Amino acid sequence: MTVTFSDRIDIALTVNGEAVEARVPAGRHLVDFLRLDLGLTGAHASCEHGVCGACTVRVDGQAIRGCLMLAAQADGTEVWTIEGLSDTGAVADLQAAFIARNALQCGFCTPGMLVAAQELLNAGGVPDRTTIREHLSGNYCRCTGYEAIVDAIETVAIARSGRGAA
Amino acid sequence: MKASVGGYARATDLRHALDLLAASDGMGRVLAGGQSLIAALNMRLSSGDLLIDINRIDSLKGVVLAGDRLRIGALTRHAEIATDPLVAQHAPLLQKATDLIAHAAIRNRGTIGGALAHADPAAEFPACVLALDATIQVEGPQGSREIPAAEFFVDVFETTIQEGEILTAISLPIQEANERQVIHELGRRSGDYALAGLCIVRREARHRIVCISVGPKPELAIAAMARLDEGDEDGAVAALRDGLDPPSDTQASATYRRHLVGVLLQRAIADLNGATA
Ligand SMILES: Cc1cc2nc3c(=O)[nH]c(=O)nc-3n(C[C@H](O)[C@H](O)[C@H](O)COP(=O)(O)OP(=O)(O)OC[C@H]3O[C@@H](n4cnc5c(N)ncnc54)[C@H](O)[C@@H]3O)c2cc1C
Ligand code: FES
Ligand code: FES
C-alpha cells in the first residue's frame, strides 16, 4: 500500500452523464474544475467558503457545495450541473416557473437555487413554504427578495404532485 | 481565494490513514466532510497541508446498537444522523440538533467526527455529546483510546486528539424510557451558528445542561443542574446566568448572550415539563 501524497491527482467521474478523466491539482475545488477545466460555467464560485450557495451542484444525487469539495474527492462520482439538468429537461418546469414568477433578475444565484430546489422536490410530496425557505436557507439571492423563488418552487411542487397523482 | 495544498492522499482503510498521518511530518490534516477544513484552506488560513481523505474508510461509517450503547462512526454525515432510525430512537438530541446545523447542502457532507474534532464552541454536536455523557474513540499509532466527552474539549478549536490520531467513533448510553432530551438555540438566520444555545438531558430526575456559543468549550453547567435537580427552576436560570462569562463580539454582547441562555433554559424547562420534548 502506498504511503504517498500527490499534488496532482488522477480522477475519473461522470459529469452530466459523460465520462470524464482528468489530472487535477490537489487544492482544486470541484466548482473550479467544472468551470475552468470543463468550461461548465453555470455553477458559480463566489464566496468560496460555503456561505452563499452559488456553487451548488449535484453529486451522487445530493446537492453539495462545489467550493467545499475537492475535485480529487469527486473521483468515481456522478456529477450533475445546471447545464446537464437543463439538457435532460429535468428542471424544465422549475426554469419555466422561475421565468413566469420573475424568480430571477441577474441570475447569478439561479443555477444553485435550481439544484437545491430540485433536491427538495425529488424528496416527494408538496413541501410547505416554511420547508421550502428552510431548504433554500443556504442559497443567497441579492436581487429577488426570495418571495418569487418560493412561489415558483411551490407552484412546481403542486404541479408535479398533481401530475404524479393523475 | 484558492487553497494552497501540499498534497492529497486517499486513505483506503484506517491503518492506511494512520500510516499517512505518521508519514506527514506534522503537516497531515484529516479531511472528512471538508465543510470547515476546505473553507479554511480556501481562505488560506493554512497552506502546505498534506490532506488525508478518510471518506472511503467504510469502518468509520454508520450507526450500530451494541447492548445499551449506540456507536456512531466518525464519518456519519449530519444528513444521515437526521434520518437514522437508531439515532431517532436512542439519541434524539442529536437528531434534533441536525435541524439547527448549517444548511441542507452542508449537512449532506459534514460529519459528526469532523464537527467534534473541529471543536467550534458555536457548534451543536460538541455540546450534545457532553450532555449525553458520550465517550469519544480515537485511534493512533499506539492503539485506541476512549475519552469521556468531559475531558475531550480543551479550548476553542482544541481537543485532546494528539498528533497522529484519528477520531473513529462516538459511543453513548441509549436513552432510558422516561428520559428527555431538548435543544434550543437562537440565531439571526436559519442555519447560522447560534448566538447562544443550550441542550439539556433529564435522566431519572437528574439533569445535564450544556450551553453553546457562550464560552471557549462546552461545559456542564453544574450549579444550574443542581438547582434543577432540586426542582428550583428560577434558581437554575439565575445560577446558569451567574456561572457564565460569555464573549462579546460583533454578533452579540456578553450581556445579551447571558440573557439569552436564561430565556433558552426557561423554554427548555417548559419542554421538559410538556409531553412533546
Ligand atoms: C456556511 C456554514 C455554516 C455552518 N454552520 C454550522 C452550524 O450552524 N453548526 C455546526 O455545528 N457546524 C456548522 N458548520 C460546520 C459543519 O458542521 C462542518 O461539517 C463541521 O464543523 C466539520 O465537519 P467536517 O466533517 O466537514 O470536517 P472537516 O472540515 O473535514 O474537518 C474539520 C477539522 O476536523 C479534523 N477532522 C475531521 N475529521 C476528523 C477525524 N475523524 N479525526 C481527526 N480529525 C478530524 C480536520 O482535520 C479539520 O481540522 C457550518 C459550515 C459552513 C460552511
Ligand atoms: S461559492 Fe460555494 S458557497 Fe459561496
Ligand atoms: S437573481 Fe441576482 S442574486 Fe438571485
Side-chain angles (χ1 to χ4, degrees), chain B:
Chain B
M1 239 192 287
K2 307 300 175 188
S4 162
V5 167
Y8 168 95
R10 198 177 290 135
T12 47
D13 57 26
L14 187 58
R15 186 73 258 154
H16 187 204
L18 290 168
D19 288 348
L20 285 162
L21 255 187
S24 69
D25 210 13
M27 292 302 284
R29 284 272 230 152
V30 175
L31 173 58
Q35 303 302 289
S36 298
L37 180 54
I38 297 180
L41 294 174
N42 288 346
M43 290 192 270
R44 295 243 176 146
L45 296 182
S46 68
S47 68
D49 297 271
L50 298 173
L51 303 180
I52 297 146
D53 185 352
I54 61 170
N55 281 273
R56 301 224 179 148
I57 305 180
D58 288 336
S59 65
L60 298 180
K61 295 176 187 171
V63 182
V64 288
L65 187 62
D68 57 0
R69 296 187 74 87
L70 198 64
R71 180 191 181 278
I72 303 177
L75 213 50
T76 311
R77 316 242 178 226
H78 305 339
E80 291 165 347
I81 302 238
T83 54
D84 187 279
L86 289 173
V87 173
Q89 189 184 347
H90 300 298
L93 185 65
L94 295 177
Q95 185 197 37
K96 292 174 191 173
T98 57
D99 281 346
L100 304 171
I101 301 176
H103 314 286
I106 290 165
R107 294 193 293 266
N108 281 340
R109 294 289 300 167
T111 68
I112 188 166
L116 298 179
H118 191 53
D120 188 324
E124 289 80 2
F125 280 154
C128 291
V129 297
L130 178 54
L132 291 168
D133 200 11
T135 56
I136 289 143
Q137 302 177 351
V138 303
E139 183 105 8
Q142 266 80 33
S144 59
R145 303 193 288 141
E146 292 227 2
I147 309 154
E151 291 161 26
F152 181 75
F153 302 101
V154 177
D155 205 340
V156 181
F157 301 132
E158 200 185 326
T159 71
T160 51
I161 301 179
Q162 300 298 306
E163 199 173 308
E165 288 183 331
I166 291 177
L167 196 167
T168 53
I170 297 98
S171 162
L172 49 92
I174 62 173
Q175 172 173 248
E176 292 181 357
N178 55 357
E179 183 169 329
R180 292 204 184 276
Q181 305 180 354
V182 176
I183 181 165
H184 279 281
E185 71 174 42
L186 290 161
R188 290 199 195 282
R189 294 166 307 188
S190 170
D192 279 3
Y193 281 104
L195 297 176
L198 173 142
C199 48
I200 183 165
V201 171
R202 183 173 73 196
R203 169 173 294 208
E204 289 169 355
R206 307 270 299 173
H207 300 81
R208 288 172 70 90
I209 304 173
V210 183
C211 295
I212 300 166
S213 253
V214 292
K217 62 171 183 173
E219 275 176 296
L220 289 169
I222 304 284
M225 284 156 47
R227 294 284 95 73
L228 209 50
D229 289 351
E230 295 159 3
D232 178 4
E233 297 177 356
D234 293 339
V237 171
L240 186 65
R241 285 187 171 135
D242 287 348
L244 291 175
D245 182 18
S248 280
D249 54 34
T250 50
Q251 305 285 323
S253 68
T255 313
Y256 183 49
R257 285 203 161 92
R258 196 176 287 118
H259 169 74
L260 289 182
V261 287
V263 172
L264 291 169
L265 181 56
Q266 283 160 342
R267 289 183 187 173
I269 292 170
D271 267 6
L272 289 178
N273 295 337
T276 54

Side-chain angles (χ1 to χ4, degrees), chain A residues 1-11 26-29 31-32 36 45-51 56 59 61-65 67-77 119 133-140 142, chain B residues 1-10 12-13 15-16 19-21 23-24 28 31-36 38-43 50-53 55-56 77 79 99 102-109 189-192:
Chain A
M1 193 173 294
T2 50
V3 182
T4 50
F5 295 92
S6 329
D7 55 9
R8 307 214 148 240
I9 294 97
D10 292 321
I11 57 172
R28 180 76 122 203
H29 56 54
V31 77
D32 269 359
L36 305 177
S46 179
C47 72
E48 298 187 283
H49 62 276
V51 174
T56 310
V59 176
Q62 291 186 315
I64 62 105
R65 297 284 200 242
C67 70
L68 296 185
M69 180 174 186
L70 298 177
Q73 296 183 283
D75 177 63
T77 64
E119 178 183 55
R133 279 186 182 281
E134 174 57 37
H135 198 80
L136 297 180
S137 67
N139 291 73
Y140 286 4
R142 298 290 79 159
Chain B
M1 239 192 287
K2 307 300 175 188
S4 162
V5 167
Y8 168 95
R10 198 177 290 135
T12 47
D13 57 26
R15 186 73 258 154
H16 187 204
D19 288 348
L20 285 162
L21 255 187
S24 69
L31 173 58
Q35 303 302 289
S36 298
I38 297 180
L41 294 174
N42 288 346
M43 290 192 270
L50 298 173
L51 303 180
I52 297 146
D53 185 352
N55 281 273
R56 301 224 179 148
R77 316 242 178 226
D99 281 346
H103 314 286
I106 290 165
R107 294 193 293 266
N108 281 340
R109 294 289 300 167
R189 294 166 307 188
S190 170
D192 279 3

Side-chain angles (χ1 to χ4, degrees), chain A residues 15-93:
Chain A
V15 178
N16 297 330
E18 285 180 34
V20 173
E21 288 186 13
R23 171 165 291 192
V24 293
R28 180 76 122 203
H29 56 54
L30 180 61
V31 77
D32 269 359
F33 171 67
L34 295 168
R35 291 174 56 82
L36 305 177
D37 298 341
L38 302 187
L40 296 167
T41 55
H44 294 128
S46 179
C47 72
E48 298 187 283
H49 62 276
V51 174
C52 73
C55 61
T56 310
V57 293
R58 193 197 297 182
V59 176
D60 287 342
Q62 291 186 315
I64 62 105
R65 297 284 200 242
C67 70
L68 296 185
M69 180 174 186
L70 298 177
Q73 296 183 283
D75 177 63
T77 64
E78 186 185 312
V79 177
W80 286 88
T81 69
I82 191 59
E83 288 87 349
L85 296 172
S86 299
D87 288 347
T88 62
V91 292
D93 50 355

